[in-house]
Amino acid sequence: GAATACFSNAGQLCISAERLYVHADVYDEFLSAFVGQTRALDLAADYAYGASVGSLQNAGQLEKTRDHLDDAVEKGANVVSGGRKRPDLGPYFHEPTILTGVPEDATLYREETFGPVVAVYEVDDVKEAVRRANDSPYGLNASVWTEDERLGEHVAEHLDCGTVNVNDAFLSAWGSMDAPMGGMGDSGLGRRHGPEGLLKYTESQTVAVNDGPVLGGSPSGVSGDWWERGMTAYLRARRKLGWSN
């Protein structure tokens, strides 16, 4: 599941995972299995469905991926799998790469890489995982993995993301065509799919009918001060009686 979340389409999905937060109790076991799964991915150029990971889209995306990776390593991150360009396979190929120890001042931590690179972090509890996951300007998609589905739903509700999948990388939410899809924070405004997605194509109109005194200047013979006091009392009474609408 983690490999799918991070490396599908060479990490070039808007809903790809770029950070993984793993509980300390299973961190070593998970990291070992994740590295093994990642190294087993078949990196190749192929029009068929045999390859697991393909090429980056262009030279600029490869350069961005390398810049983020090099910056993280210079600031103390460790490459535990991958980490190399693969020009032998094609001009824009890059190995699926797993990093640990990425500091918060690294570009990779703060910005979207949109490439086959992921940072893995060890956390002591759920609260720390949620806090660190929400420490981002982006909020499009996230996933929660747990044997306790009720806990997974509870954690999901506390993540600042437009879609959150429990025990799935992205397909459950992305494929739910009747449910709204969209981001929070810098990941954008508005929603698509579902009723919310249809409403964005509509324009609302307000028609207001005044069934009380005409607001404006005071009537002839009534001072402005008394008129304002009277109208204020009238509007307060309407609200109190539930006539405000």
Side-chain angles (χ1 to χ4, degrees), residues 111-146:
E111 297 184 14
E112 184 181 30
T113 302
F114 212 64
V117 180
V118 61
V120 184
Y121 301 89
E122 180 178 353
V123 294
D124 292 326
D125 53 41
V126 171
K127 288 185 177 180
E128 182 185 359
V130 171
R131 176 183 60 79
R132 296 181 69 176
N134 287 337
D135 182 23
S136 170
Y138 302 106
L140 183 59
N141 182 70
S143 60
V144 181
W145 299 80
T146 173

Side-chain angles (χ1 to χ4, degrees), residues 19-242:
R19 303 185 199 169
L20 299 180
Y21 294 99
V22 186
H23 195 282
D25 289 350
V26 295
Y27 176 81
D28 291 337
E29 180 182 1
F30 169 82
L31 185 60
S32 176
F34 184 43
V35 168
Q37 180 69 27
T38 300
R39 289 176 178 171
L41 295 175
D42 181 27
L43 183 63
D46 195 343
Y47 286 112
Y49 290 96
S52 306
V53 180
S55 171
L56 288 168
Q57 199 271 334
N58 56 45
Q61 197 55 49
L62 176 61
E63 181 180 1
K64 181 181 181 182
T65 298
R66 289 305 312 176
D67 287 346
H68 285 196
L69 177 57
D70 292 342
D71 173 76
V73 171
E74 289 175 4
K75 292 176 178 175
N78 302 306
V79 177
V80 295
S81 183
R84 300 178 301 166
K85 294 189 290 185
R86 291 294 302 274
D88 55 310
L89 299 175
Y92 311 138
F93 273 81
H94 196 284
E95 294 177 337
T97 301
I98 302 172
L99 299 174
T100 60
V102 176
E104 294 186 7
D105 62 341
T107 304
L108 187 98
Y109 183 89
R110 290 293 172 191
E111 297 184 14
E112 184 181 30
T113 302
F114 212 64
V117 180
V118 61
V120 184
Y121 301 89
E122 180 178 353
V123 294
D124 292 326
D125 53 41
V126 171
K127 288 185 177 180
E128 182 185 359
V130 171
R131 176 183 60 79
R132 296 181 69 176
N134 287 337
D135 182 23
S136 170
Y138 302 106
L140 183 59
N141 182 70
S143 60
V144 181
W145 299 80
T146 173
E147 293 181 344
D148 185 341
E149 289 188 3
R150 181 168 296 181
L151 172 64
E153 293 178 12
H154 175 73
V155 172
E157 292 171 357
H158 289 80
L159 293 175
D160 298 332
C161 286
T163 56
V164 184
N165 303 264
V166 178
N167 294 334
D168 182 69
F170 44 72
L171 286 176
S172 294
W174 181 75
S176 300
M177 300 301 292
D178 291 332
M181 174 77 184
M184 296 182 180
D186 289 351
S187 290
L189 299 172
R191 295 294 182 266
R192 60 180 177 174
H193 303 167
E196 294 85 352
L198 292 174
L199 287 175
K200 73 179 181 180
Y201 295 105
T202 67
E203 291 186 355
S204 300
Q205 181 188 46
T206 300
V207 177
V209 178
N210 179 26
D211 59 356
V214 177
L215 300 179
S218 61
S220 177
V222 180
S223 70
D225 181 59
W226 280 103
W227 177 251
E228 291 173 4
R229 292 184 181 184
M231 289 305 300
T232 299
Y234 167 74
L235 293 173
R236 286 177 175 170
R238 281 181 61 94
R239 182 177 293 276
K240 189 173 183 179
L241 294 172

